Amino acid sequence: MPSQLSHAVAAVTGRRAKFLVMLAWLVLTAVAVPLAGRLSGAEHNETKSWLPASAESTRVIDREAAFVSPNQLQAVVIYERKSGLSATDRSKIEADTAKLATLPHVVGGVHAVFSRDRQAAEIVVPVDLGAEAWRLSQGEVSTIYSVVRGQPGLSTWVTGPAGYAAASSDAFKGIDGTLLWSALAVVTVILLLTYRSPLLWLVPVAGAGVALVIAEAAVYLISQVGATVNAQSVGILTVLVFGAGTDYALLLVARYREELRRAGDRHAAMAVALRRAAPAIIASASTVSLSMLCLLFAETKSTQDLGPVAAIGVLVALLVMTTLLPAALVSCPRWVFWPRVPVPGSADPAPYGVWARIGRRIARRPRRIWVTAAIVLAGLAFGLLDLNANGLSYARAYTTKPAAITGGEVLARHFPAGAGSPVIVVADAKYAGLVATRCSDVPGISGVTPPVVRGSTAFVEATMASPPDSAAGFATVQRVRAAVHAVPGAHALVGGDSAVSLDVESAARHDRTLIVPIALLAVLLILALLLRALLAPVLLVATVVLSFAGSLGLSALVFRHVFGFAGAEAALPLYTFVFLVSLGIDYNIFLMTRVREESLRSGTRNGSLAALSATGGVITSAGAVLAGTFGVLGTLPLTTFAEIGFAVALGVLIDALVVRSVLVTAINLDLGDRIWWPSKRLSGRRQRHPDLGLGVAEGLPVLHESRR
């Protein structure tokens, strides 16, 4: 393995090979650009693409296709005049009804219904927009608005499934550009602050851009062979590639800078830097990718499909940052680091920097520090009691209120709140009448349509009295399911918007229970192989879990008491866990591989201080980059993205600044060589590694390994 790594390093950093590497990536990027541009057109954002394949509501979608097009949406037009509809208003509404019936995509009957209080009217407009219904819904709703608006004092809204789809489409509009430019701005600012160089930041940012283009092209290609891609996974891909890719770049550049202070030749310095940094970067990317692939065990379709998309993004970032980046860096003269140009013999500031001083303070009372940090994080975890991860209603799904949400509230004031979002029941045709009767007898159901029979299947629609996304609406669906499932031989299934929400929540709970232990086991195995120990990986995984619990607990308090969010999507804990565990392990790997290397020279305690002084700044910068890139998810007007972005950003900062740099270092200092159990003492083998060169421990106080 070491010889293979050396050959790979030579192939990347050679005086002639570097130009071939850059040329190869340039050609690959040129090929990838047009493919990446097609990714948004390959997204599947229809309801079925987000649902568990085995869910009852999914099976209803399949069976109801014989009665209603799977691309059909109900646009519910609601009119309101609080003083009461006038004769002129009624004439306009009747005229609008006739016009709406003639629109190109309208299918089925269109008629107006007036409320009993005479203040409102509704028109249900069924539209079929084909396979691109979600993307085209915004334009269709705009067309409907052009018909129904215009009467002074008469308020109009378009709500229902088509209105909500248009609001969702509008929220995701331009997601690629918004997240890309926001992430680019964040990364640029942080790299400028980190490097304090007007030029150096351009190299890793260009590498991240190349990685994103190629990752998007790769994701587009897998979408053409059966994989499902949606707007959520594409948005997360952008921030993950920029965040993880820049983290890997920070680690490599920091190591390259160290070696430039020792070597007169840039190519030799990069060869050493890449050989030493590559194992940590590869292990980190492997951990993140494997954690993401654990999502394939999910029942929820949208969660399941995120796994390979995220894994591809991380692996592409790994390839770019371990081949193109070193080739580009070594092609640049040393003055690219200006104004702090590293030259042979120049002083290494790490032993006298902030993290070296923090390390010396930790070394005085390591046990007290790690116990205190653990207690504080455990205390923050109690905030999880304030986390209501039972799904978000339509009204709470946005950080601002779209017109469709307002229209839904107006509709609920004057009509049965479930109008336009019916409960769908399909059953054996022989039991059509009995199933319809059982539905109508369910409390919370205000009306049931006569059964429609085609072949051996009956189709029934039931209107709920409660809003379809409310707790009362969900309870009604559960009662309907209980009622129709009790009909022997009917094989009845219940679907519709409310049933979809229920099935997604149920699948999310299943996914958390299954995937969390699988991801932890995968991370534990990788750490054990990398560190060749058992105790250290167990303790590191424990710190990651504690960091996750504390971060999400604090986030839950902020969501409720600062942002005013009333709840969270059921998948939020799982997404936050997978991202924080996998990305938090990154910093464990960056730190502990350096601890192990330095421990071979001076023992675990001195090695821990040397590693902290060398990597503390890198980990801090990497944490800031990753937190910033995930934080840009908050630029979208969607509560779920805002919550994921905030929780992951906060967790990454806590992980980088407290857990990795303080808690783990304190544990290392407290346990000393015992941290590597069952391996033998590392300090006894330090003479076997003369090729490691001088470490940064030279300026640090020496701690005696015999002290326990």
Side-chain angles (χ1 to χ4, degrees), residues 2-25:
S3 61
Q4 293 174 346
L5 181 59
S6 297
H7 290 317
V9 168
V12 171
T13 62
R15 296 182 184 278
R16 293 188 180 88
K18 63 186 179 185
F19 296 113
L20 294 177
V21 169
M22 289 189 290
L23 179 61
W25 280 109

Side-chain angles (χ1 to χ4, degrees), residues 269-347:
M270 178 56 78
V272 175
L274 185 57
R275 190 166 61 247
R276 291 180 176 175
I281 296 175
I282 293 171
S284 170
S286 301
T287 304
V288 178
S289 300
L290 192 57
S291 298
M292 294 298 121
L293 290 176
C294 289
L295 296 177
L296 287 171
F297 292 100
E299 280 189 349
T300 310
K301 184 69 173 158
S302 56
T303 301
Q304 185 183 93
D305 294 330
L306 174 61
V309 171
I312 286 173
V314 172
L315 291 176
V316 170
L318 166 68
L319 290 174
V320 170
M321 295 307 175
T322 53
T323 56
L324 176 60
L325 178 66
L329 282 172
V330 82
S331 299
C332 299
R334 289 176 187 256
W335 52 257
V336 75
F337 287 89
W338 184 88
R340 297 188 296 177
V341 180
V343 295
S346 59

Side-chain angles (χ1 to χ4, degrees), residues 220-424:
Y220 169 76
L221 290 176
I222 68 168
S223 74
Q224 300 305 294
V225 293
T228 303
V229 180
N230 57 42
Q232 174 181 274
S233 57
V234 171
I236 291 176
L237 174 70
T238 300
V239 299
L240 190 59
V241 170
F242 257 90
T246 307
D247 276 7
Y248 303 152
L250 282 164
L251 185 65
L252 178 61
V253 172
R255 205 63 195 256
Y256 180 45
R257 190 198 293 266
E258 283 185 43
E259 299 305 326
L260 285 174
R261 296 191 184 98
R262 300 175 183 139
D265 182 74
R266 298 195 312 277
H267 299 82
M270 178 56 78
V272 175
L274 185 57
R275 190 166 61 247
R276 291 180 176 175
I281 296 175
I282 293 171
S284 170
S286 301
T287 304
V288 178
S289 300
L290 192 57
S291 298
M292 294 298 121
L293 290 176
C294 289
L295 296 177
L296 287 171
F297 292 100
E299 280 189 349
T300 310
K301 184 69 173 158
S302 56
T303 301
Q304 185 183 93
D305 294 330
L306 174 61
V309 171
I312 286 173
V314 172
L315 291 176
V316 170
L318 166 68
L319 290 174
V320 170
M321 295 307 175
T322 53
T323 56
L324 176 60
L325 178 66
L329 282 172
V330 82
S331 299
C332 299
R334 289 176 187 256
W335 52 257
V336 75
F337 287 89
W338 184 88
R340 297 188 296 177
V341 180
V343 295
S346 59
D348 185 353
Y352 312 100
V354 172
W355 287 105
R357 294 195 296 271
I358 291 174
R360 288 193 287 270
R361 288 181 177 274
I362 296 173
R364 295 172 187 171
R365 295 181 179 85
R367 184 168 301 174
R368 179 182 297 180
I369 288 175
W370 74 255
V371 169
T372 301
I375 291 174
V376 171
L377 289 172
L380 293 175
F382 279 98
L384 290 171
L385 298 174
D386 217 25
L387 182 65
N388 176 22
N390 293 317
L392 292 166
S393 65
Y394 297 134
R396 295 170 179 170
Y398 301 89
T399 55
T400 56
K401 183 183 284 190
I405 304 300
T406 304
E409 294 172 350
V410 175
L411 179 70
R413 289 201 297 263
H414 303 284
F415 296 94
S421 296
V423 177
I424 307 296

Side-chain angles (χ1 to χ4, degrees), residues 362 366-367 369-370 661-671:
I362 296 173
R367 184 168 301 174
I369 288 175
W370 74 255
S661 302
V662 177
L663 177 60
V664 172
T665 296
I667 292 174
N668 288 337
L669 290 169
D670 188 21
L671 295 181

Side-chain angles (χ1 to χ4, degrees), residues 27 47 53 72 167 232 459 467 522 528 695:
V27 172
T47 301
Q72 182 173 313
Q232 174 181 274
F459 176 84

Side-chain angles (χ1 to χ4, degrees), residues 39-367:
L39 180 58
S40 60
E43 293 174 7
H44 293 274
N45 295 297
E46 65 276 8
T47 301
K48 187 176 177 180
S49 69
W50 297 71
L51 283 170
S54 60
E56 184 171 346
S57 54
T58 307
R59 287 180 284 159
V60 169
I61 291 174
D62 292 333
R63 291 183 64 181
E64 72 173 335
F67 302 89
V68 180
S69 167
N71 302 313
Q72 182 173 313
L73 296 172
Q74 305 285 345
V76 180
V77 180
I78 180 75
Y79 299 82
E80 183 190 46
R81 187 186 292 271
K82 293 182 179 179
S83 61
L85 297 175
S86 65
T88 304
D89 293 335
R90 289 174 174 269
S91 298
K92 173 177 170 50
I93 293 168
E94 295 291 353
D96 290 350
T97 302
K99 290 179 184 177
L100 291 171
T102 64
L103 293 179
H105 299 112
V106 173
V107 294
V110 178
H111 61 277
V113 177
F114 294 88
S115 65
R116 291 182 179 180
D117 60 14
R118 301 181 181 181
Q119 295 178 350
E122 69 163 335
I123 305 174
V124 177
V125 186
V127 295
D128 190 334
L129 302 174
E132 296 292 313
W134 182 81
R135 186 173 61 84
L136 299 175
S137 58
Q138 191 179 3
E140 186 68 14
V141 167
S142 296
T143 300
I144 293 174
Y145 268 123
S146 69
V147 173
V148 303
R149 280 179 172 162
Q151 185 77 6
L154 181 66
S155 301
T156 56
W157 297 270
V158 179
T159 185
Y164 295 134
S168 174
S169 177
D170 182 57
F172 279 102
K173 183 175 62 178
I175 181 175
D176 299 339
T178 300
L179 292 181
L180 173 61
W181 292 112
S182 298
L184 180 61
V186 167
V187 168
T188 299
V189 170
I190 294 175
L191 289 182
L192 281 170
L193 293 174
T194 300
Y195 295 141
R196 300 176 190 175
S197 167
L199 298 174
L200 182 59
W201 66 274
L202 289 168
V203 185
V205 165
V210 169
L212 180 60
V213 169
I214 293 174
E216 289 180 339
V219 170
Y220 169 76
L221 290 176
I222 68 168
S223 74
Q224 300 305 294
V225 293
T228 303
V229 180
N230 57 42
Q232 174 181 274
S233 57
V234 171
I236 291 176
L237 174 70
T238 300
V239 299
L240 190 59
V241 170
F242 257 90
T246 307
D247 276 7
Y248 303 152
L250 282 164
L251 185 65
L252 178 61
V253 172
R255 205 63 195 256
Y256 180 45
R257 190 198 293 266
E258 283 185 43
E259 299 305 326
L260 285 174
R261 296 191 184 98
R262 300 175 183 139
D265 182 74
R266 298 195 312 277
H267 299 82
M270 178 56 78
V272 175
L274 185 57
R275 190 166 61 247
R276 291 180 176 175
I281 296 175
I282 293 171
S284 170
S286 301
T287 304
V288 178
S289 300
L290 192 57
S291 298
M292 294 298 121
L293 290 176
C294 289
L295 296 177
L296 287 171
F297 292 100
E299 280 189 349
T300 310
K301 184 69 173 158
S302 56
T303 301
Q304 185 183 93
D305 294 330
L306 174 61
V309 171
I312 286 173
V314 172
L315 291 176
V316 170
L318 166 68
L319 290 174
V320 170
M321 295 307 175
T322 53
T323 56
L324 176 60
L325 178 66
L329 282 172
V330 82
S331 299
C332 299
R334 289 176 187 256
W335 52 257
V336 75
F337 287 89
W338 184 88
R340 297 188 296 177
V341 180
V343 295
S346 59
D348 185 353
Y352 312 100
V354 172
W355 287 105
R357 294 195 296 271
I358 291 174
R360 288 193 287 270
R361 288 181 177 274
I362 296 173
R364 295 172 187 171
R365 295 181 179 85
R367 184 168 301 174

